[in-house]
Amino acid sequence: MAAMNEAAHARDAAEDPQSQEHVDIDDKASVDRWAKALGTTDEALINAVQEVGTRIDRIKEYLGQGGMGADQSAG
C-alpha cells in the first residue's frame, strides 16, 4: 500500500510545474517511480540528476528542453 501512495505522490509532484520534490538516485525504487511519473527512462532521469540536481522542477525543465530527451524513447 505504501508503494502505491508513493507512486501517486510522485505522479502528483511530476504534474506540478513548481514541485521541489527530490529524486533519490541511490534508491532503485525511487528512480523507477520517478522515471515512470515523468515519462522517461531510468537512464535519462539519472543523467538529468547529474546535470541539474535532484529537484523535480529542474529535472522536468532539463528533460523538456531536450537535455536527454532523445533517450526518453529508448527504453
Side-chain angles (χ1 to χ4, degrees), residues 6-22 34 37-38 56-57 60:
E6 291 173 1
H9 178 76
R11 259 191 325 274
D12 290 345
E15 292 174 5
D16 179 355
Q18 297 179 335
S19 175
Q20 294 186 9
E21 293 290 323
H22 291 265
W34 281 111
L38 293 169
I56 292 300
D57 58 340
K60 287 179 11 179

Side-chain angles (χ1 to χ4, degrees), residues 5-73:
N5 288 338
E6 291 173 1
H9 178 76
R11 259 191 325 274
D12 290 345
E15 292 174 5
D16 179 355
Q18 297 179 335
S19 175
Q20 294 186 9
E21 293 290 323
H22 291 265
V23 176
D24 178 1
I25 63 168
D26 294 322
D27 177 5
K28 174 75 169 125
S30 176
V31 171
D32 290 345
R33 192 169 46 251
W34 281 111
K36 182 175 181 179
L38 293 169
T40 192
T41 64
D42 291 4
E43 180 182 359
L45 177 61
I46 291 168
N47 287 335
V49 167
Q50 291 171 343
E51 290 295 321
V52 299
T54 62
R55 275 186 32 188
I56 292 300
D57 58 340
R58 293 177 182 161
I59 293 168
K60 287 179 11 179
E61 183 177 337
Y62 177 80
L63 292 172
Q65 291 183 350
M68 293 302 293
D71 290 341
Q72 291 183 37
S73 62

